Amino acid sequence: LNKSVVMIGSSSAIREVVTEIEHAARSNAKVLITGESGVGKEIVAKLVHQNSARSGGPLVTINCAGFPDSLLETEMFGHVKGSFTDAHRDKRGWLEQAHGGTIFMDEVGEMSLRVQALLLRFLETGEIQRVGSDRKLPPLDVRVITATHRKLVDHIAEKTFREDLYYRLNVIHIAVPPLPERREDVPLLL
């Protein structure tokens, strides 16, 4: 694996994660990374990108939990001048910025159903429509990696996460184990 970002640990659990990273890096498939907060999901995403054929392209990283719904939509898809009060110019969204590379969406389980529907549409067609625009942009070439600490299947049952989106995102699943499941890595991490 590329050494600019490293996965610290020598446990069998971490060796298994590294094997899964290598497998995911050889593919262009969507990746869903799960695990408790603080286990290194973002490091896994960076390693998948850095060791993939897309490593020369951008890696755009966003935390979906850090934005209110309306702002998340305009940041993800962009907007055109005049589409809302403070839209003084056209703005490319994160998906456009990731063209030719990878977008990593952390805490994807925090998205509203509306933004989930917009993301699903992008995953199906590769097309986006900036907020306030009346036309779609040409299809984008973006690899999507997502992460969550939530059990999305529980949210599907509660109707707060779309089942169709879950299956679109969960093509390759990498579960990062918590420290209690890999105690032998603690000295290395310290």
Side-chain angles (χ1 to χ4, degrees), residues 45 64 80 94 96 106 117 119 129 140 143 147 150 155 162 180 187:
C64 299
V80 295
W94 294 320
E96 278 183 86
D106 199 5
L119 177 58
Q129 188 169 334
L140 298 173
R143 183 183 197 175
R150 301 207 179 271
H155 289 272
R162 294 179 62 114

Side-chain angles (χ1 to χ4, degrees), residues 1 7 16-26 43-45 47-48 51 174:
L1 289 176
M7 194 76 175
E16 187 176 317
V17 169
V18 169
T19 299
E20 291 171 356
I21 290 168
E22 291 169 343
H23 168 74
R26 288 190 298 269
I43 290 171
V44 170
L47 285 168
V48 169
N51 291 283
I174 300 176

Side-chain angles (χ1 to χ4, degrees), residues 88-124:
H88 302 297
R89 60 178 176 79
D90 288 358
K91 181 179 178 191
R92 291 181 345 138
W94 294 320
L95 288 165
E96 278 183 86
Q97 293 172 36
H99 183 64
T102 305
I103 189 163
F104 171 55
M105 299 178 187
D106 199 5
E107 299 306 345
V108 71
E110 306 301 318
M111 281 184 188
S112 71
L113 289 170
R114 174 179 161 60
V115 177
Q116 289 176 40
L118 294 170
L119 177 58
L120 179 64
R121 179 74 181 145
F122 166 73
L123 295 174
E124 291 171 347

